[in-house]
Amino acid sequence: MDVINISMDGVLARKNGKKDCYYEWTVGFCQVKVGKCSMEVKGLDELFQDYFKKGMTAEEIDGSEMIRDVRKQNFIPEDIEDLYEEALKKEYKRYFESRKK
């Protein structure tokens, strides 16, 4: 069996003198309730920020477009795509309402 030595500096990054996972600073995960399950969706906050900057309301967003955008960073099974679409639109509506105040 071969042993591979990997420097932790290659896995972890330093910020303010602390070590932490690098990817957590670049792309966040959001918990979304899809059907009866809580799912982690990568990059959702960034996507919602983009929609909001474009002035898109929850009613204007096409669910299939949102699924396509989320799939760029996440796996979404085709057989529950409708549940994801419903959950994502609901989350964006909540996001939009909280930002427009």
Side-chain angles (χ1 to χ4, degrees), residues 20-37:
D20 204 347
C21 295
Y22 180 73
Y23 72 86
E24 289 180 4
W25 297 329
T26 56
V27 178
F29 287 84
C30 294
Q31 290 281 330
V32 177
K33 187 159 176 97
V34 178
K36 295 182 180 182
C37 299

Side-chain angles (χ1 to χ4, degrees), residues 60-72:
E60 293 173 331
I61 293 178
D62 177 27
S64 60
E65 176 185 349
M66 187 178 281
I67 292 291
R68 187 183 66 245
D69 290 340
V70 170
R71 271 196 172 127
K72 291 175 184 175

